[in-house]
Short mmCIF file of all heavy atoms in Angstrom, two decimals:
data_model
loop_
_atom_site.label_atom_id
_atom_site.label_comp_id
_atom_site.label_asym_id
_atom_site.label_seq_id
_atom_site.Cartn_x
_atom_site.Cartn_y
_atom_site.Cartn_z
N ARG A 81 78.93 41.67 101.23
CA ARG A 81 78.80 41.09 99.91
C ARG A 81 77.41 41.38 99.34
O ARG A 81 77.26 41.57 98.13
CB ARG A 81 79.04 39.59 99.96
CG ARG A 81 80.48 39.22 100.12
CD ARG A 81 80.63 37.74 100.03
NE ARG A 81 82.02 37.36 100.12
CZ ARG A 81 82.44 36.14 100.23
NH1 ARG A 81 81.57 35.16 100.28
NH2 ARG A 81 83.71 35.88 100.30
N LEU A 82 76.42 41.32 100.23
CA LEU A 82 75.05 41.55 99.78
C LEU A 82 74.89 42.97 99.26
O LEU A 82 74.29 43.20 98.21
CB LEU A 82 74.07 41.28 100.92
CG LEU A 82 72.59 41.49 100.59
CD1 LEU A 82 72.16 40.58 99.45
CD2 LEU A 82 71.74 41.24 101.82
N ARG A 83 75.45 43.94 99.99
CA ARG A 83 75.38 45.34 99.53
C ARG A 83 76.11 45.52 98.21
O ARG A 83 75.64 46.23 97.32
CB ARG A 83 75.98 46.27 100.59
CG ARG A 83 74.99 46.65 101.65
CD ARG A 83 75.58 47.68 102.58
NE ARG A 83 75.57 47.07 103.91
CZ ARG A 83 76.47 47.22 104.84
NH1 ARG A 83 77.49 48.01 104.65
NH2 ARG A 83 76.36 46.62 105.99
N GLU A 84 77.26 44.89 98.10
CA GLU A 84 78.05 44.98 96.87
C GLU A 84 77.27 44.39 95.69
O GLU A 84 77.19 44.98 94.62
CB GLU A 84 79.36 44.21 97.08
CG GLU A 84 80.48 44.64 96.19
CD GLU A 84 81.76 43.90 96.57
OE1 GLU A 84 82.35 44.23 97.62
OE2 GLU A 84 82.13 43.00 95.81
N ALA A 85 76.68 43.22 95.91
CA ALA A 85 75.90 42.58 94.85
C ALA A 85 74.67 43.40 94.51
O ALA A 85 74.29 43.52 93.34
CB ALA A 85 75.50 41.18 95.28
N SER A 86 74.06 43.99 95.52
CA SER A 86 72.88 44.82 95.29
C SER A 86 73.24 46.06 94.48
O SER A 86 72.51 46.47 93.58
CB SER A 86 72.27 45.22 96.64
OG SER A 86 71.15 46.04 96.43
N ALA A 87 74.39 46.67 94.78
CA ALA A 87 74.84 47.84 94.03
C ALA A 87 75.15 47.48 92.58
O ALA A 87 74.81 48.21 91.64
CB ALA A 87 76.07 48.46 94.70
N GLU A 88 75.79 46.34 92.39
CA GLU A 88 76.10 45.88 91.03
C GLU A 88 74.82 45.59 90.25
O GLU A 88 74.71 45.89 89.06
CB GLU A 88 77.00 44.65 91.07
CG GLU A 88 78.42 44.97 91.50
CD GLU A 88 79.29 43.73 91.61
OE1 GLU A 88 78.84 42.63 91.24
OE2 GLU A 88 80.43 43.87 92.08
N ASP A 89 73.85 45.00 90.94
CA ASP A 89 72.56 44.72 90.30
C ASP A 89 71.87 46.02 89.89
O ASP A 89 71.35 46.13 88.77
CB ASP A 89 71.66 43.93 91.26
CG ASP A 89 70.30 43.61 90.64
OD1 ASP A 89 70.28 42.98 89.56
OD2 ASP A 89 69.28 44.02 91.23
N ALA A 90 71.89 47.01 90.77
CA ALA A 90 71.26 48.30 90.46
C ALA A 90 71.95 48.96 89.27
O ALA A 90 71.30 49.52 88.38
CB ALA A 90 71.28 49.21 91.68
N ALA A 91 73.28 48.88 89.25
CA ALA A 91 74.04 49.47 88.14
C ALA A 91 73.72 48.74 86.83
O ALA A 91 73.55 49.38 85.78
CB ALA A 91 75.53 49.43 88.44
N ALA A 92 73.62 47.43 86.89
CA ALA A 92 73.30 46.65 85.69
C ALA A 92 71.90 46.97 85.20
O ALA A 92 71.67 47.11 83.99
CB ALA A 92 73.44 45.16 85.98
N ARG A 93 70.96 47.13 86.11
CA ARG A 93 69.59 47.48 85.71
C ARG A 93 69.55 48.87 85.08
O ARG A 93 68.83 49.10 84.11
CB ARG A 93 68.65 47.40 86.91
CG ARG A 93 68.37 45.99 87.37
CD ARG A 93 67.46 45.97 88.60
NE ARG A 93 67.35 44.64 89.15
CZ ARG A 93 66.47 43.73 88.74
NH1 ARG A 93 65.62 44.01 87.79
NH2 ARG A 93 66.44 42.53 89.30
N ALA A 94 70.33 49.80 85.61
CA ALA A 94 70.38 51.15 85.04
C ALA A 94 70.96 51.10 83.63
O ALA A 94 70.47 51.77 82.72
CB ALA A 94 71.21 52.06 85.94
N ARG A 95 72.00 50.30 83.45
CA ARG A 95 72.59 50.16 82.10
C ARG A 95 71.60 49.53 81.14
O ARG A 95 71.50 49.94 79.98
CB ARG A 95 73.89 49.35 82.18
CG ARG A 95 75.06 50.15 82.71
CD ARG A 95 76.39 49.42 82.49
NE ARG A 95 76.46 48.13 83.18
CZ ARG A 95 76.91 47.95 84.42
NH1 ARG A 95 77.32 49.00 85.11
NH2 ARG A 95 76.94 46.76 84.96
N CYS A 96 70.85 48.55 81.60
CA CYS A 96 69.83 47.92 80.76
C CYS A 96 68.76 48.94 80.35
O CYS A 96 68.32 48.96 79.19
CB CYS A 96 69.18 46.74 81.48
SG CYS A 96 70.22 45.27 81.53
N ALA A 97 68.35 49.76 81.28
CA ALA A 97 67.35 50.79 80.97
C ALA A 97 67.90 51.78 79.95
O ALA A 97 67.20 52.18 79.01
CB ALA A 97 66.93 51.51 82.25
N GLN A 98 69.17 52.16 80.11
CA GLN A 98 69.79 53.07 79.15
C GLN A 98 69.88 52.42 77.76
O GLN A 98 69.62 53.07 76.75
CB GLN A 98 71.19 53.48 79.61
CG GLN A 98 71.19 54.42 80.79
CD GLN A 98 72.61 54.67 81.30
OE1 GLN A 98 73.51 53.86 81.09
NE2 GLN A 98 72.78 55.79 82.00
N LEU A 99 70.24 51.15 77.74
CA LEU A 99 70.32 50.44 76.46
C LEU A 99 68.95 50.33 75.79
O LEU A 99 68.83 50.47 74.57
CB LEU A 99 70.93 49.05 76.66
CG LEU A 99 72.43 49.03 76.91
CD1 LEU A 99 72.88 47.61 77.25
CD2 LEU A 99 73.19 49.54 75.69
N ASP A 100 67.92 50.09 76.58
CA ASP A 100 66.56 50.03 76.02
C ASP A 100 66.18 51.38 75.41
O ASP A 100 65.60 51.43 74.33
CB ASP A 100 65.56 49.64 77.10
CG ASP A 100 65.65 48.18 77.50
OD1 ASP A 100 66.26 47.38 76.73
OD2 ASP A 100 65.13 47.83 78.58
N GLU A 101 66.51 52.46 76.11
CA GLU A 101 66.20 53.80 75.60
C GLU A 101 66.98 54.08 74.31
O GLU A 101 66.42 54.58 73.33
CB GLU A 101 66.55 54.84 76.66
CG GLU A 101 66.22 56.26 76.24
CD GLU A 101 66.62 57.29 77.29
OE1 GLU A 101 66.59 56.97 78.48
OE2 GLU A 101 66.97 58.41 76.89
N LEU A 102 68.26 53.75 74.31
CA LEU A 102 69.07 53.97 73.11
C LEU A 102 68.57 53.13 71.94
O LEU A 102 68.55 53.59 70.79
CB LEU A 102 70.54 53.67 73.40
CG LEU A 102 71.26 54.66 74.29
CD1 LEU A 102 72.66 54.14 74.64
CD2 LEU A 102 71.36 56.01 73.60
N SER A 103 68.17 51.92 72.23
CA SER A 103 67.65 51.03 71.19
C SER A 103 66.37 51.60 70.59
O SER A 103 66.19 51.61 69.37
CB SER A 103 67.40 49.65 71.77
OG SER A 103 66.87 48.79 70.78
N ALA A 104 65.49 52.09 71.43
CA ALA A 104 64.24 52.68 70.94
C ALA A 104 64.52 53.92 70.09
O ALA A 104 63.90 54.12 69.04
CB ALA A 104 63.33 53.04 72.12
N ARG A 105 65.48 54.74 70.52
CA ARG A 105 65.83 55.92 69.73
C ARG A 105 66.45 55.53 68.39
O ARG A 105 66.18 56.16 67.36
CB ARG A 105 66.79 56.82 70.51
CG ARG A 105 66.07 57.58 71.59
CD ARG A 105 66.87 58.63 72.31
NE ARG A 105 68.26 58.83 71.94
CZ ARG A 105 69.16 59.36 72.74
NH1 ARG A 105 68.83 59.72 73.97
NH2 ARG A 105 70.39 59.55 72.35
N ALA A 106 67.26 54.48 68.39
CA ALA A 106 67.88 54.02 67.14
C ALA A 106 66.82 53.53 66.16
O ALA A 106 66.89 53.81 64.96
CB ALA A 106 68.90 52.92 67.43
N VAL A 107 65.84 52.80 66.66
CA VAL A 107 64.76 52.32 65.80
C VAL A 107 63.96 53.49 65.25
O VAL A 107 63.64 53.54 64.05
CB VAL A 107 63.84 51.34 66.57
CG1 VAL A 107 62.57 51.05 65.81
CG2 VAL A 107 64.59 50.04 66.86
N ALA A 108 63.65 54.46 66.09
CA ALA A 108 62.90 55.64 65.64
C ALA A 108 63.69 56.42 64.59
O ALA A 108 63.14 56.87 63.58
CB ALA A 108 62.57 56.54 66.83
N ASP A 109 64.99 56.57 64.81
CA ASP A 109 65.83 57.28 63.84
C ASP A 109 65.91 56.54 62.51
O ASP A 109 65.86 57.15 61.45
CB ASP A 109 67.24 57.50 64.41
CG ASP A 109 67.27 58.52 65.52
OD1 ASP A 109 66.28 59.27 65.69
OD2 ASP A 109 68.31 58.58 66.22
N ALA A 110 66.01 55.22 62.57
CA ALA A 110 66.07 54.43 61.35
C ALA A 110 64.76 54.56 60.56
O ALA A 110 64.77 54.67 59.33
CB ALA A 110 66.34 52.96 61.67
N ARG A 111 63.64 54.56 61.27
CA ARG A 111 62.35 54.74 60.59
C ARG A 111 62.24 56.13 59.98
O ARG A 111 61.69 56.30 58.90
CB ARG A 111 61.21 54.50 61.57
CG ARG A 111 61.01 53.06 61.90
CD ARG A 111 59.78 52.83 62.74
NE ARG A 111 59.66 51.42 63.06
CZ ARG A 111 59.31 50.95 64.23
NH1 ARG A 111 59.01 51.77 65.21
NH2 ARG A 111 59.23 49.65 64.45
N ALA A 112 62.76 57.13 60.66
CA ALA A 112 62.70 58.50 60.14
C ALA A 112 63.60 58.66 58.92
O ALA A 112 63.30 59.45 58.02
CB ALA A 112 63.11 59.49 61.23
N LEU A 113 64.68 57.90 58.86
CA LEU A 113 65.60 58.01 57.74
C LEU A 113 65.17 57.20 56.51
O LEU A 113 65.70 57.41 55.42
CB LEU A 113 67.00 57.54 58.17
CG LEU A 113 67.74 58.49 59.09
CD1 LEU A 113 69.06 57.86 59.54
CD2 LEU A 113 67.99 59.82 58.42
N ALA A 114 64.23 56.29 56.67
CA ALA A 114 63.82 55.43 55.56
C ALA A 114 63.40 56.22 54.31
O ALA A 114 63.86 55.91 53.21
CB ALA A 114 62.73 54.46 56.01
N PRO A 115 62.55 57.24 54.43
CA PRO A 115 62.18 57.99 53.22
C PRO A 115 63.38 58.70 52.58
O PRO A 115 63.49 58.77 51.37
CB PRO A 115 61.15 59.00 53.71
CG PRO A 115 60.68 58.51 55.03
CD PRO A 115 61.79 57.70 55.59
N LEU A 116 64.28 59.19 53.41
CA LEU A 116 65.47 59.85 52.88
C LEU A 116 66.36 58.85 52.16
O LEU A 116 66.95 59.18 51.12
CB LEU A 116 66.25 60.53 54.01
CG LEU A 116 65.53 61.66 54.73
CD1 LEU A 116 66.34 62.16 55.90
CD2 LEU A 116 65.22 62.79 53.77
N ARG A 117 66.45 57.65 52.68
CA ARG A 117 67.26 56.61 52.04
C ARG A 117 66.66 56.25 50.67
O ARG A 117 67.39 56.06 49.70
CB ARG A 117 67.34 55.37 52.93
CG ARG A 117 68.16 54.25 52.30
CD ARG A 117 68.37 53.11 53.25
NE ARG A 117 69.28 53.58 54.28
CZ ARG A 117 69.31 53.09 55.50
NH1 ARG A 117 68.51 52.14 55.87
NH2 ARG A 117 70.18 53.55 56.38
N GLU A 118 65.33 56.18 50.60
CA GLU A 118 64.69 55.88 49.32
C GLU A 118 64.97 56.98 48.30
O GLU A 118 65.27 56.70 47.14
CB GLU A 118 63.18 55.72 49.52
CG GLU A 118 62.79 54.48 50.28
CD GLU A 118 61.31 54.43 50.61
OE1 GLU A 118 60.55 55.27 50.09
OE2 GLU A 118 60.92 53.56 51.40
N ASP A 119 64.89 58.25 48.74
CA ASP A 119 65.21 59.37 47.85
C ASP A 119 66.66 59.29 47.39
O ASP A 119 66.96 59.50 46.21
CB ASP A 119 64.97 60.71 48.54
CG ASP A 119 63.49 61.01 48.73
OD1 ASP A 119 62.65 60.35 48.09
OD2 ASP A 119 63.19 61.92 49.54
N HIS A 120 67.55 58.99 48.31
CA HIS A 120 68.97 58.88 47.97
C HIS A 120 69.20 57.77 46.95
O HIS A 120 69.94 57.95 45.99
CB HIS A 120 69.81 58.64 49.22
CG HIS A 120 71.24 58.37 48.91
ND1 HIS A 120 71.73 57.11 48.71
CD2 HIS A 120 72.28 59.21 48.71
CE1 HIS A 120 73.00 57.16 48.42
NE2 HIS A 120 73.37 58.43 48.42
N ASP A 121 68.60 56.62 47.18
CA ASP A 121 68.77 55.50 46.26
C ASP A 121 68.27 55.84 44.86
O ASP A 121 68.92 55.52 43.86
CB ASP A 121 68.05 54.25 46.78
CG ASP A 121 68.71 53.68 48.03
OD1 ASP A 121 69.87 54.05 48.32
OD2 ASP A 121 68.06 52.87 48.71
N ARG A 122 67.12 56.51 44.79
CA ARG A 122 66.57 56.89 43.49
C ARG A 122 67.51 57.88 42.78
O ARG A 122 67.81 57.72 41.59
CB ARG A 122 65.18 57.49 43.65
CG ARG A 122 64.50 57.81 42.33
CD ARG A 122 63.06 58.29 42.47
NE ARG A 122 62.96 59.53 43.24
CZ ARG A 122 62.44 59.63 44.45
NH1 ARG A 122 61.96 58.56 45.06
NH2 ARG A 122 62.38 60.78 45.08
N LEU A 123 68.00 58.86 43.50
CA LEU A 123 68.92 59.84 42.90
C LEU A 123 70.26 59.20 42.53
O LEU A 123 70.85 59.56 41.51
CB LEU A 123 69.13 61.01 43.86
CG LEU A 123 67.92 61.91 44.05
CD1 LEU A 123 68.18 62.94 45.13
CD2 LEU A 123 67.53 62.58 42.75
N ALA A 124 70.72 58.27 43.33
CA ALA A 124 71.98 57.58 43.02
C ALA A 124 71.83 56.75 41.74
O ALA A 124 72.75 56.72 40.90
CB ALA A 124 72.41 56.69 44.18
N ARG A 125 70.68 56.09 41.56
CA ARG A 125 70.45 55.33 40.32
C ARG A 125 70.40 56.26 39.11
O ARG A 125 70.97 55.95 38.07
CB ARG A 125 69.15 54.53 40.42
CG ARG A 125 69.25 53.30 41.31
CD ARG A 125 68.03 52.39 41.18
NE ARG A 125 66.76 53.07 41.36
CZ ARG A 125 66.14 53.23 42.52
NH1 ARG A 125 66.68 52.75 43.62
NH2 ARG A 125 64.98 53.86 42.59
N LEU A 126 69.74 57.41 39.27
CA LEU A 126 69.66 58.38 38.19
C LEU A 126 71.04 58.93 37.86
O LEU A 126 71.40 59.06 36.68
CB LEU A 126 68.71 59.51 38.57
CG LEU A 126 68.47 60.58 37.52
CD1 LEU A 126 67.88 59.98 36.25
CD2 LEU A 126 67.54 61.65 38.08
N ALA A 127 71.83 59.22 38.86
CA ALA A 127 73.19 59.73 38.64
C ALA A 127 74.05 58.68 37.94
O ALA A 127 74.82 59.00 37.03
CB ALA A 127 73.82 60.14 39.96
N ALA A 128 73.92 57.43 38.34
CA ALA A 128 74.68 56.36 37.69
C ALA A 128 74.26 56.18 36.24
O ALA A 128 75.09 55.96 35.36
CB ALA A 128 74.51 55.04 38.46
N LEU A 129 72.97 56.32 35.99
CA LEU A 129 72.49 56.21 34.62
C LEU A 129 73.05 57.35 33.76
O LEU A 129 73.53 57.13 32.65
CB LEU A 129 70.96 56.23 34.60
CG LEU A 129 70.30 56.04 33.24
CD1 LEU A 129 70.63 54.67 32.68
CD2 LEU A 129 68.80 56.21 33.37
N ALA A 130 73.03 58.56 34.28
CA ALA A 130 73.54 59.71 33.55
C ALA A 130 75.05 59.62 33.34
O ALA A 130 75.57 60.07 32.31
CB ALA A 130 73.19 61.00 34.28
N ALA A 131 75.75 59.02 34.31
CA ALA A 131 77.20 58.91 34.21
C ALA A 131 77.64 57.72 33.35
O ALA A 131 78.81 57.59 33.03
CB ALA A 131 77.81 58.78 35.61
N GLY A 132 76.69 56.86 33.01
CA GLY A 132 77.04 55.70 32.19
C GLY A 132 77.57 54.53 32.99
O GLY A 132 78.15 53.61 32.43
N THR A 133 77.39 54.55 34.29
CA THR A 133 77.92 53.48 35.13
C THR A 133 76.83 52.56 35.67
O THR A 133 77.13 51.64 36.44
CB THR A 133 78.71 54.07 36.31
OG1 THR A 133 77.84 54.92 37.06
CG2 THR A 133 79.91 54.86 35.83
N ALA A 134 75.58 52.78 35.28
CA ALA A 134 74.47 51.96 35.78
C ALA A 134 74.56 50.55 35.19
O ALA A 134 75.00 50.36 34.05
CB ALA A 134 73.14 52.60 35.43
N ALA A 135 74.13 49.58 35.96
CA ALA A 135 74.19 48.19 35.50
C ALA A 135 73.27 47.96 34.31
O ALA A 135 73.58 47.14 33.44
CB ALA A 135 73.80 47.26 36.65
N ASP A 136 72.15 48.68 34.25
CA ASP A 136 71.22 48.48 33.15
C ASP A 136 71.52 49.37 31.94
O ASP A 136 70.76 49.41 30.99
CB ASP A 136 69.78 48.67 33.62
CG ASP A 136 69.55 50.04 34.24
OD1 ASP A 136 70.53 50.74 34.52
OD2 ASP A 136 68.38 50.39 34.44
N ASN A 137 72.65 50.07 31.95
CA ASN A 137 73.08 50.88 30.82
C ASN A 137 73.90 49.99 29.90
O ASN A 137 75.11 49.84 30.06
CB ASN A 137 73.90 52.08 31.32
CG ASN A 137 74.28 53.04 30.22
OD1 ASN A 137 74.18 52.72 29.04
ND2 ASN A 137 74.74 54.21 30.61
N GLU A 138 73.24 49.39 28.91
CA GLU A 138 73.89 48.40 28.05
C GLU A 138 75.05 48.97 27.25
O GLU A 138 76.03 48.30 27.00
CB GLU A 138 72.85 47.78 27.11
CG GLU A 138 71.78 46.99 27.83
CD GLU A 138 70.69 46.52 26.90
OE1 GLU A 138 70.80 46.71 25.68
OE2 GLU A 138 69.71 45.95 27.43
N ARG A 139 74.94 50.21 26.82
CA ARG A 139 75.99 50.80 25.99
C ARG A 139 77.10 51.43 26.81
O ARG A 139 78.10 51.86 26.26
CB ARG A 139 75.38 51.84 25.06
CG ARG A 139 74.39 51.23 24.10
CD ARG A 139 73.83 52.27 23.20
NE ARG A 139 72.79 51.68 22.38
CZ ARG A 139 72.62 51.93 21.11
NH1 ARG A 139 73.42 52.78 20.51
NH2 ARG A 139 71.67 51.37 20.44
N LYS A 140 76.91 51.52 28.11
CA LYS A 140 77.89 52.14 29.00
C LYS A 140 78.28 53.54 28.51
O LYS A 140 79.43 53.94 28.55
CB LYS A 140 79.15 51.27 29.14
CG LYS A 140 78.88 49.89 29.68
CD LYS A 140 78.34 49.95 31.09
CE LYS A 140 78.08 48.55 31.61
NZ LYS A 140 77.12 48.52 32.67
N MET A 141 77.27 54.26 28.04
CA MET A 141 77.48 55.62 27.54
C MET A 141 76.93 56.62 28.54
O MET A 141 75.89 56.38 29.15
CB MET A 141 76.75 55.82 26.19
CG MET A 141 77.28 55.03 25.05
SD MET A 141 76.30 55.26 23.55
CE MET A 141 76.71 56.95 23.13
N ARG A 142 77.62 57.74 28.65
CA ARG A 142 77.09 58.83 29.45
C ARG A 142 75.85 59.36 28.75
O ARG A 142 75.70 59.24 27.54
CB ARG A 142 78.12 59.95 29.59
CG ARG A 142 79.32 59.57 30.42
CD ARG A 142 80.35 60.70 30.47
NE ARG A 142 79.78 62.00 30.78
CZ ARG A 142 79.62 62.49 32.02
NH1 ARG A 142 80.02 61.77 33.04
NH2 ARG A 142 79.09 63.67 32.22
N LEU A 143 74.95 59.96 29.50
CA LEU A 143 73.72 60.51 28.93
C LEU A 143 74.05 61.54 27.87
O LEU A 143 73.44 61.55 26.79
CB LEU A 143 72.86 61.11 30.04
CG LEU A 143 71.55 61.75 29.59
CD1 LEU A 143 70.65 60.72 28.91
CD2 LEU A 143 70.83 62.39 30.77
N GLU A 144 75.01 62.38 28.14
CA GLU A 144 75.41 63.42 27.19
C GLU A 144 75.87 62.80 25.87
O GLU A 144 75.48 63.24 24.78
CB GLU A 144 76.54 64.25 27.80
CG GLU A 144 77.06 65.35 26.90
CD GLU A 144 78.21 66.10 27.54
OE1 GLU A 144 78.57 65.81 28.69
OE2 GLU A 144 78.75 66.99 26.86
N SER A 145 76.68 61.76 25.94
CA SER A 145 77.17 61.09 24.73
C SER A 145 76.04 60.43 23.97
O SER A 145 76.00 60.46 22.73
CB SER A 145 78.23 60.04 25.09
OG SER A 145 79.33 60.65 25.71
N TYR A 146 75.10 59.84 24.72
CA TYR A 146 73.97 59.18 24.07
C TYR A 146 73.11 60.19 23.31
O TYR A 146 72.71 59.95 22.17
CB TYR A 146 73.13 58.45 25.13
CG TYR A 146 71.93 57.75 24.55
CD1 TYR A 146 72.06 56.53 23.93
CD2 TYR A 146 70.66 58.34 24.60
CE1 TYR A 146 70.96 55.87 23.39
CE2 TYR A 146 69.56 57.70 24.06
CZ TYR A 146 69.72 56.47 23.46
OH TYR A 146 68.63 55.84 22.92
N VAL A 147 72.86 61.33 23.93
CA VAL A 147 72.05 62.37 23.28
C VAL A 147 72.77 62.89 22.04
O VAL A 147 72.15 63.07 20.98
CB VAL A 147 71.72 63.51 24.27
CG1 VAL A 147 71.09 64.69 23.57
CG2 VAL A 147 70.79 62.99 25.37
N LEU A 148 74.08 63.13 22.16
CA LEU A 148 74.83 63.61 21.01
C LEU A 148 74.86 62.58 19.88
O LEU A 148 74.75 62.94 18.70
CB LEU A 148 76.26 63.98 21.43
CG LEU A 148 76.38 65.24 22.29
CD1 LEU A 148 77.82 65.40 22.77
CD2 LEU A 148 75.93 66.46 21.51
N ALA A 149 74.98 61.31 20.21
CA ALA A 149 74.98 60.26 19.19
C ALA A 149 73.62 60.18 18.50
O ALA A 149 73.55 60.03 17.27
CB ALA A 149 75.34 58.92 19.82
N ALA A 150 72.55 60.30 19.26
CA ALA A 150 71.21 60.28 18.67
C ALA A 150 71.02 61.48 17.75
O ALA A 150 70.46 61.35 16.65
CB ALA A 150 70.15 60.27 19.77
N ARG A 151 71.49 62.63 18.17
CA ARG A 151 71.38 63.82 17.33
C ARG A 151 72.21 63.67 16.07
O ARG A 151 71.78 64.06 14.98
CB ARG A 151 71.83 65.06 18.13
CG ARG A 151 71.66 66.33 17.38
CD ARG A 151 70.19 66.63 17.17
NE ARG A 151 70.06 67.90 16.48
CZ ARG A 151 69.09 68.19 15.65
NH1 ARG A 151 68.13 67.32 15.42
NH2 ARG A 151 69.03 69.36 15.07
N LEU A 152 73.39 63.09 16.17
CA LEU A 152 74.24 62.86 15.00
C LEU A 152 73.54 61.92 14.02
O LEU A 152 73.61 62.12 12.80
CB LEU A 152 75.59 62.29 15.43
CG LEU A 152 76.58 62.00 14.31
CD1 LEU A 152 76.89 63.27 13.52
CD2 LEU A 152 77.86 61.39 14.87
N GLU A 153 72.87 60.90 14.54
CA GLU A 153 72.11 60.00 13.66
C GLU A 153 71.02 60.76 12.93
O GLU A 153 70.79 60.54 11.73
CB GLU A 153 71.49 58.86 14.47
CG GLU A 153 72.48 57.82 14.93
CD GLU A 153 71.84 56.72 15.77
OE1 GLU A 153 70.58 56.67 15.83
OE2 GLU A 153 72.58 55.94 16.36
N GLN A 154 70.35 61.68 13.60
CA GLN A 154 69.30 62.50 12.96
C GLN A 154 69.90 63.38 11.88
O GLN A 154 69.34 63.51 10.78
CB GLN A 154 68.57 63.36 14.00
CG GLN A 154 67.73 62.57 14.96
CD GLN A 154 67.15 63.45 16.07
OE1 GLN A 154 67.58 64.58 16.26
NE2 GLN A 154 66.17 62.91 16.78
N VAL A 155 71.03 63.99 12.16
CA VAL A 155 71.69 64.86 11.18
C VAL A 155 72.14 64.04 9.98
O VAL A 155 71.95 64.45 8.82
CB VAL A 155 72.89 65.59 11.83
CG1 VAL A 155 73.75 66.28 10.79
CG2 VAL A 155 72.40 66.60 12.87
N ALA A 156 72.71 62.86 10.21
CA ALA A 156 73.14 62.00 9.12
C ALA A 156 71.95 61.54 8.26
O ALA A 156 72.04 61.52 7.03
CB ALA A 156 73.89 60.79 9.67
N ALA A 157 70.85 61.21 8.91
CA ALA A 157 69.66 60.80 8.17
C ALA A 157 69.13 61.95 7.34
O ALA A 157 68.75 61.77 6.17
CB ALA A 157 68.58 60.29 9.12
N ALA A 158 69.11 63.16 7.91
CA ALA A 158 68.63 64.33 7.16
C ALA A 158 69.58 64.64 6.01
O ALA A 158 69.13 65.02 4.91
CB ALA A 158 68.52 65.52 8.10
N ALA A 159 70.86 64.49 6.21
CA ALA A 159 71.83 64.75 5.15
C ALA A 159 71.70 63.72 4.03
O ALA A 159 71.89 64.05 2.85
CB ALA A 159 73.25 64.74 5.72
N SER A 160 71.35 62.50 4.37
CA SER A 160 71.20 61.46 3.36
C SER A 160 69.99 61.73 2.47
O SER A 160 70.00 61.38 1.28
CB SER A 160 71.05 60.09 4.02
OG SER A 160 72.21 59.75 4.72
N VAL A 161 68.96 62.33 3.04
CA VAL A 161 67.76 62.65 2.27
C VAL A 161 68.11 63.74 1.30
O VAL A 161 67.80 63.74 0.15
CB VAL A 161 66.61 63.09 3.21
CG1 VAL A 161 65.43 63.61 2.41
CG2 VAL A 161 66.18 61.92 4.07
#
């Protein structure tokens, strides 16, 4: 029984060491990905704004539509003059 318990203890300690190593690698990988995540978030917000789906886009207009509407207002103002 003592040998069996000793073997189980050794196996459990080996698994703990492996888990510690994996945990350290996961933390390092998460830290390495942080700048990429920030870049992704910034680009995703820009894409949502251009697509008209951003929360802070009050008119819910695509960027293309907004630019065309602004240009149409300029043309109408020039035509009125």
